[in-house]
Amino acid sequence: MQPDRRKIALGAIAPFTGQPLGHFVDGVAVAGEGVSFAVTDPSTGAQLGEARDASEAELDAAVAAAKRAFPAWAATPGDKRKQILHRVADLIEARAEEIAAVECLDAGQAWRFMSKAALRGAENFRFFADRAPAAADGQSLPTAEHLNVTSRAPIGPVAVITPWNTPFMLSTWKIAPALAAGCTVVHKPAEWSPYSARLLVEIAHEAGLPAGVFNSINGLGETTGRRLTEHRDIKAIAFVGESRTGSAIMRQGADTLKRVHFELGGKNPVIVFDDADLDRALDAVVFMIYSLNGQRCTSSSRLLVQRSIHDQFVARLAERVRQLKVGDPFDSATEVGPLIHPRHLSKVCGYAEIATADGATIAVGGERLPGDGYFYSPTLYTNADVSMRIAQEEIFGPVLTVIPFDDEVDAIAKANAVDYGLAGYLWTNDLGRSLRVSNALEAGMIWVNSENVRHLPTPFGGVKASGIGRDGGDWSFDFYMETKNVALATGAHKIQRLGVVA
Ligand code: NAD
């Protein structure tokens, strides 16, 4: 019998639902005094609790705590930071089931994916913990007359602002390298899924993180998020979310010249050539858009399929989409859960009308499912072309748009004909073609004959409207740290003598 995971999740959030969820600042829980907003269970529509929008004073207090804690944390030896961050990972692992259950409850993500996402969060901490001792290391760049030595130092208190699609895992991905680098953090999780962030900050303190090093504040984007990104004591903003929010944050941070790292939206193509292993390609096509309810930045939401195999491939695809198991996220058999919020559901629903008005066909789905939860039927749009809105806009739901192509040149042109450029997936058994197309695709990450398999030392990020900067490996440290060069003269090199009477 399956454990009652809903009960586990409700138990985990019980300490935060009797009164509105506040903040965690300077090592202690703060009840909060700002207005509160509802947090709902997407699979039932029932209210789980409320959370508080931080007041200006509370936001200032969180940034002040991060600023106060910064010098000591930055000076803490890398070995010590490593030890504490490994302990954070240990505690995440110990509570992985609880964290995963909270993600199912709060974000509506299916258990089959969340059971691994919590462990991925622990892995993120371990990966950057191991690199903390060498984070400050630089290069030696000698010339004939100087020895140039570079080093890195943490930039200061940073803001981390995250979305609701896989809230826990995404937060660890940003917060772990920031802490490993020696920065202090003020985290603002998404207002629609705030609970797992609270678990994370409490775990981090239980693991021995000093007070003020990692602070978590709740609130809305336009108020708390805005104030955080405008705050003069915040030195950098790591943001994951929509592209237009990224633009707003860039404006908000402009006056204080903030360094920004943006992981934004995507409209990622999966290109299937007729020489590919079509069985594996089909598995990957279905997995990469219908897993995580399609609420995934790297989802392959556009299928570009070669015309010679189009009808046969799409018929098999439609069959698989019809058979997807939509249901309770806590059920291990569920493949697609609910969308996060009624507002998001209504956006996703709206595309069915747009698709037909633009001339596409709804081959499967295209409608809200009955009940109080925010369930949407897995949807397949066919007969689409690149000019249509369903081929251009990020829908962020279990919705796939199919576009046929003729040859390699046509595939590349269609793949690149969007504003976004996060990821691209390519299925072909022609080695030369895989290299040519990978080079030509305008995207930060390409997977060939593979679904999205993440290797933490590799760079993660997008081009065009999909982002600025890269995560992963040393790229993360470059963002959270300032590089300094010290030039030491090795001898008496010539210095022009000014102000000397000849
Ligand atoms: P969103 O941009 O609406 O919100 C993200 C966060 O920004 C939330 O915490 C929100 O409160 C905050 N925010 C909103 N307005 C703000 C403002 N003016 N100033 C400061 N903060 C503000 O995004 P979302 O709807 O929560 O998430 C979905 C989006 O995230 C999708 O576009 C998806 O592609 C993207 N995403 C990208 C990646 C990636 O790695 N590229 C990963 C996951 C999600």
Side-chain angles (χ1 to χ4, degrees):
M1 207 179 87
Q2 282 179 14
D4 188 344
R5 297 189 181 114
R6 178 174 285 275
K7 206 166 148 196
I8 293 173
L10 287 168
I13 67 165
F16 318 123
T17 51
Q19 63 292 315
L21 175 67
H23 322 292
F24 196 94
V25 172
D26 215 5
V28 293
V30 176
E33 59 189 18
V35 295
S36 49
F37 52 89
V39 184
T40 54
D41 170 354
S43 50
T44 63
Q47 183 167 327
L48 289 170
E50 288 183 311
R52 292 233 187 248
D53 193 13
S55 67
E56 212 164 331
E58 287 165 346
L59 186 272
D60 285 346
V63 176
K67 188 180 177 186
R68 264 194 317 275
F70 175 69
W73 182 244
T76 300
D79 282 343
K80 176 74 182 158
R81 289 204 298 269
K82 171 178 172 178
Q83 199 188 337
I84 296 173
L85 297 181
H86 269 295
R87 177 97 183 107
V88 176
D90 293 342
L91 295 183
I92 292 174
E93 278 170 8
R95 295 182 66 182
E97 185 165 16
E98 223 180 313
I99 294 164
V102 169
E103 299 286 74
C104 296
L105 181 70
D106 195 13
Q109 294 288 11
W111 173 261
R112 65 162 63 220
F113 308 117
M114 288 306 99
S115 58
K116 293 181 199 76
L119 295 173
R120 275 278 307 281
E123 267 175 52
N124 289 339
F125 268 93
R126 289 207 193 288
F127 177 84
F128 288 106
D130 283 339
R131 280 158 182 75
D137 290 357
Q139 298 180 47
S140 152
L141 301 165
T143 67
E145 293 172 326
H146 286 86
L147 175 62
N148 289 277
V149 180
T150 73
S151 62
R152 286 192 301 203
I155 191 168
V158 300
V160 174
I161 301 181
T162 49
W164 41 259
N165 54 332
T166 43
F168 188 83
M169 202 284 290
L170 278 175
S171 306
T172 60
W173 192 345
K174 298 289 180 186
I175 292 167
L179 296 176
C183 292
T184 53
V185 170
V186 179
H187 177 213
K188 193 206 85 63
E191 50 270 47
W192 289 346
S193 59
Y195 291 117
S196 62
R198 180 56 174 263
L199 296 183
L200 178 62
V201 73
E202 291 196 355
I203 284 172
H205 284 81
E206 198 186 329
L209 209 63
V213 169
F214 172 12
N215 309 277
S216 177
I217 47 158
N218 280 301
L220 305 174
E222 313 79 61
T223 48
T224 301
R226 168 184 277 276
R227 285 188 205 117
L228 182 58
T229 55
E230 286 174 347
H231 204 292
R232 55 179 301 130
D233 290 331
I234 290 290
K235 300 299 170 200
I237 307 165
F239 169 73
V240 186
E242 283 188 26
S243 301
R244 66 167 182 274
T245 314
S247 301
I249 289 178
M250 201 173 232
R251 282 193 294 274
Q252 291 160 202
D255 279 350
T256 46
L257 292 173
K258 296 270 192 290
R259 180 182 292 184
V260 295
H261 184 180
F262 287 162
E263 286 178 359
L264 310 175
K267 189 73 183 175
N268 311 298
V270 51
I271 309 174
V272 180
F273 285 96
D274 60 7
D275 63 13
D277 178 335
L278 296 180
D279 291 339
R280 284 180 63 74
L282 181 63
D283 286 345
V285 165
V286 174
F287 176 74
M288 277 312 303
I289 181 64
Y290 298 105
S291 58
L292 301 179
N293 312 336
Q295 297 170 155
R296 178 183 199 152
C297 56
T298 50
S299 71
S300 51
S301 49
R302 289 184 297 148
L303 167 62
L304 305 182
V305 56
Q306 197 152 19
R307 216 176 284 279
S308 47
I309 53 163
H310 175 277
D311 292 355
Q312 167 217 356
F313 193 82
V314 172
R316 290 178 68 196
L317 171 63
E319 193 52 34
R320 293 279 289 273
V321 179
R322 274 185 215 105
Q323 289 172 30
L324 286 167
K325 292 179 202 70
V326 183
D328 181 3
F330 289 101
D331 185 340
S332 307
T334 293
E335 293 168 326
V336 181
L339 298 180
I340 182 80
H341 192 269
R343 212 151 72 214
H344 186 54
L345 174 67
S346 115
K347 172 191 151 177
V348 175
C349 285
Y351 279 97
E353 212 171 291
I354 294 167
T356 20
D358 282 353
T361 304
I362 304 175
V364 184
E367 61 203 0
R368 179 181 182 170
L369 294 171
D372 293 330
Y374 315 136
F375 290 94
Y376 188 73
S377 54
T379 296
L380 186 67
Y381 294 129
T382 55
N383 292 321
D385 69 53
V386 285
S387 67
M388 295 180 184
R389 285 181 61 190
I390 52 166
Q392 289 291 326
E393 297 173 13
E394 186 186 44
I395 299 174
F396 220 55
V399 178
L400 178 60
T401 300
V402 185
I403 303 165
F405 69 84
D406 295 314
D407 54 22
E408 203 174 298
V409 172
D410 191 30
I412 293 167
K414 285 176 170 159
N416 289 342
V418 290
D419 289 339
Y420 295 105
L422 186 59
Y425 304 87
L426 171 58
W427 287 85
T428 176
N429 275 324
D430 179 331
L431 181 61
R433 168 185 282 160
S434 72
L435 291 170
R436 285 190 302 275
V437 179
S438 298
N439 284 339
L441 286 180
E442 294 167 359
M445 298 168 287
I446 313 286
W447 277 272
V448 180
N449 296 332
S450 174
E451 88 282 30
N452 172 344
V453 180
R454 178 95 177 92
H455 180 46
L456 287 173
T458 61
F460 184 103
V463 303
K464 295 159 78 178
S466 288
I468 296 175
R470 295 291 179 273
D471 263 323
D474 211 46
W475 286 277
S476 297
F477 284 155
D478 255 345
F479 175 70
Y480 292 113
M481 302 181 88
E482 293 282 20
T483 298
K484 179 181 282 179
N485 185 58
V486 177
L488 299 119
T490 51
H493 65 286
K494 184 172 165 51
I495 302 174
Q496 285 194 39
R497 303 193 69 222
L498 307 183
V500 177
V501 181

